[in-house]
Amino acid sequence: MSATWKLTVEYAGTRYSGWQKQKNALTVAGELERAIEKSFGPVVELGGAGRTDAGVHALAQVAHLRLERDMAEDVSTDEVLRSINAHLPADVNVLSFERAADRFHARHHAIARSYVYQIARRRTAFAKRYVWWVDAELDVDRMRTAMHACVGEHDFALFCDGRADPEDTRVRIDRAEVGESGDLVLLRFEASHFVWRMVRRLVGTLEQVGRGALSVDAFTRLLDAPPTDGTSPTAAWTAPASGLFLERVRYEGDPILGALRPAFPIDPRRG
């Protein structure tokens, strides 16, 4: 069996139909695989730690790679990175490339994933692709109170797309926090896994709490509600993909998350 490699990749997801390789669609994994094959030959397996949705970004996606034939022993990491990145579009960049255990699997061996969502308090000409501009006053303290209720295990069937596997809708969130930076409101969630569109539905519902259209109690009831039969109401508010970033994938032995920081800062209004 050829060597297994661990890659850490950043990308702006605006142009892509998500991470996962698809026929007749531009995807991050598809572009990455093409770049690797141009540099080092056929790819046997390339798998990511999370299948980010169309338009979602990543600060540090992790992938495992197995090649049909091993690289030459005298090829340095810097040479590998330069070669792969030279064949990638400007909105995808490999940050690191390292040897991993033979059976390393980016998704199965991950113990936690964290996402950060950026809500802009003002219209911005430069960061439109990386934020959700909400043209309303948001009560961050109300949002923080509601987010505290997210921590722990819940059945998030009401917060996911209907394509999610019902057996996987129970998720334990280990960390949920909200912060402010310049003209941004930042929301962060960390859990072992997330179901389809769960984070965007949570953010969309929390935005309703922040603007006063939904009470904290109503939000909590949605968290505690049993799964629907497909005809009952769900948490139907979905934040756009533009503001969502896969922040980090954590493995055994990795340090815990640091302070909440913006992925793409926006300074307060000048004038």
Side-chain angles (χ1 to χ4, degrees):
M1 184 170 63
S2 65
T4 300
W5 303 91
K6 178 184 177 184
L7 289 71
T8 304
V9 188
E10 62 180 4
Y11 51 86
T14 307
R15 296 192 307 125
Y16 298 96
S17 298
W19 160 267
Q20 192 74 4
K21 188 177 177 181
Q22 304 171 39
K23 289 184 178 179
N24 304 316
L26 185 68
T27 67
V28 179
E31 291 297 290
L32 184 57
E33 184 173 306
R34 275 190 285 274
I36 292 169
E37 290 190 331
K38 285 180 180 178
S39 298
F40 302 107
V43 169
V44 174
E45 184 179 358
L46 175 67
R51 299 181 180 183
T52 52
D53 201 1
V56 176
H57 319 291
L59 301 177
Q61 168 74 284
V62 175
H64 65 265
L65 169 69
R66 301 190 230 296
L67 298 169
E68 189 172 286
R69 60 179 181 272
D70 284 338
M71 297 178 192
E73 291 185 2
D74 59 348
V75 176
S76 71
T77 299
D78 287 344
E79 288 175 309
V80 170
L81 286 174
R82 280 197 299 270
S83 181
I84 295 174
N85 284 330
H87 295 298
L88 283 170
D91 49 9
V92 181
N93 182 58
V94 179
L95 294 167
S96 67
F97 189 97
E98 59 189 290
R99 183 73 181 263
D102 288 344
R103 297 187 180 277
F104 171 72
H105 193 288
R107 180 165 60 89
H108 295 160
H109 291 158
I111 60 173
R113 298 157 177 82
S114 61
Y115 283 87
V116 170
Y117 197 96
Q118 301 199 144
I119 297 176
R121 291 185 182 275
R122 68 171 176 89
R123 189 172 182 268
T124 168
F126 301 106
K128 181 179 179 181
R129 294 181 176 184
Y130 309 111
V131 300
W132 175 23
W133 172 46
V134 173
D135 190 16
E137 289 295 323
L138 296 178
D139 187 328
V140 175
D141 287 336
R142 279 170 53 90
M143 296 171 73
R144 182 174 291 110
T145 300
M147 285 187 76
H148 285 163
C150 293
V151 176
E153 185 173 310
H154 304 275
D155 190 331
F156 286 94
L158 300 189
F159 288 88
C160 69
D161 189 281
R163 285 170 284 182
D165 186 339
E167 293 183 1
D168 292 334
T169 57
R170 292 204 69 85
V171 177
R172 178 177 179 81
I173 291 183
D174 296 315
R175 189 165 180 169
E177 57 187 311
V178 61
E180 298 175 82
S181 176
D183 273 324
L184 289 174
V185 176
L186 305 173
L187 296 89
R188 175 200 261 172
F189 301 90
E190 183 182 35
S192 61
H193 72 286
F194 294 87
V195 292
W196 191 267
R197 291 191 177 169
M198 171 182 159
V199 177
R200 288 171 57 195
R201 290 264 172 96
L202 280 169
V203 172
T205 310
L206 287 162
E207 185 267 350
Q208 292 290 302
V209 173
R211 67 164 63 230
L214 189 73
S215 70
V216 173
D217 286 345
F219 176 83
T220 303
R221 286 196 296 273
L222 283 172
L223 284 177
D224 294 334
T228 71
D229 59 5
T231 61
S232 304
T234 63
W237 306 277
T238 305
S242 56
L244 184 58
F245 292 78
L246 172 58
E247 178 190 26
R248 184 180 170 197
V249 183
R250 191 155 60 89
Y251 296 88
E252 199 69 47
D254 287 348
I256 62 172
L257 286 172
L260 176 57
R261 298 184 301 172
F264 196 103
I266 298 180
D267 292 333
R269 292 182 180 89
R270 297 181 176 89

